Amino acid sequence: PSKRNIGMVFQNYAIFPHLTVRDNVAFGLKQKKVPKEELVQQTNKYLELMQIAQYADRKPDKLSGGQQQRVALARALAVNPSVLLMDEPCSALDPISTLAVEDLIHELKEEFTIVIVTHNMQQAARVSDKTGFFSLEATGKPGHLVEFDDTTKIFENPSQKETEDYISGRFG
């Protein structure tokens, strides 16, 4: 997919503090010059889906971290991406907000291809169908793919010693 078909959710939410929640969600649609009626429909759909419609006219700094993360998710999803890329989506969230985001991921993966970058092994095991383990150790080059397989296999019976060492906490 081209980068226009990828929705991004960053670990620090990357939402615009000067815009309302509604305007944050509509931002990508406006950039794509979506007709007004469709823009309103899509914005409202994702405000509802992410359970943030009641905050639509507030500025994001008046929301909790979990609510801000849902604003970022709604904005990314509103443009109907082929792939949703989430970089450490729960790193700054409390356990209850993390659970809510993970529940959303489970729902959304029926509709979207979701790629999550995380250092949280427990989260990867909970939400992923497939897992890739990347390491700098093997080659000294950033982003070296050591192993990719079903999540259950990676966590229960990895084929690479380096993966097993990382999963078991022997390094990393």
Side-chain angles (χ1 to χ4, degrees):
S2 77
K3 67 181 176 181
R4 292 192 183 272
N5 289 328
I6 298 174
M8 284 285 304
V9 179
F10 298 96
Q11 65 182 324
N12 62 353
Y13 322 127
I15 51 181
F16 302 112
H18 63 285
L19 298 179
T20 65
V21 168
R22 180 184 321 280
D23 289 338
N24 265 283
V25 174
F27 185 82
L29 296 167
K30 288 178 181 178
Q31 299 305 304
K32 291 175 78 173
K33 300 188 184 335
V34 169
K36 176 93 170 154
E37 186 176 308
E38 184 182 343
L39 182 143
V40 169
Q41 179 185 12
Q42 284 292 98
T43 299
N44 289 338
K45 174 183 175 180
Y46 287 101
L47 286 169
E48 290 292 329
L49 180 69
M50 293 297 130
Q51 301 173 0
I52 52 173
Q54 67 270 33
Y55 310 119
D57 297 319
R58 291 188 191 174
K59 297 287 172 96
D61 66 346
K62 304 297 184 209
L63 305 178
S64 71
Q67 292 164 335
Q68 289 181 35
Q69 188 68 318
R70 290 197 309 257
V71 172
L73 267 166
R75 184 177 66 196
L77 294 171
V79 296
N80 197 29
S82 305
V83 175
L84 180 62
L85 176 59
M86 303 175 81
D87 179 19
E88 296 283 358
C90 301
S91 65
L93 301 181
D94 62 83
I96 292 170
S97 296
T98 295
L99 182 60
V101 170
E102 288 179 2
D103 286 345
L104 280 169
I105 290 168
H106 281 291
E107 288 176 36
L108 295 172
K109 70 182 181 180
E110 299 301 319
E111 250 183 276
F112 299 93
T113 298
I114 301 175
V115 177
I116 300 171
V117 176
T118 185
H119 294 91
N120 182 328
M121 295 298 97
Q122 294 82 12
Q123 182 174 61
R126 286 190 301 265
V127 302
S128 302
D129 297 325
K130 301 271 188 187
T131 296
F133 173 60
F134 291 81
S135 177
L136 177 64
E137 299 293 318
T139 63
K141 297 177 187 170
H144 170 75
L145 179 62
V146 175
E147 185 169 358
F148 179 81
D149 212 324
D150 289 336
T151 296
T152 304
K153 181 169 183 326
I154 292 284
F155 282 93
E156 293 177 5
N157 188 24
S159 62
Q160 301 297 315
K161 182 171 181 352
E162 188 176 6
T163 305
E164 182 177 345
D165 288 349
Y166 188 80
I167 300 275
S168 67
R170 286 193 280 273
F171 88 86

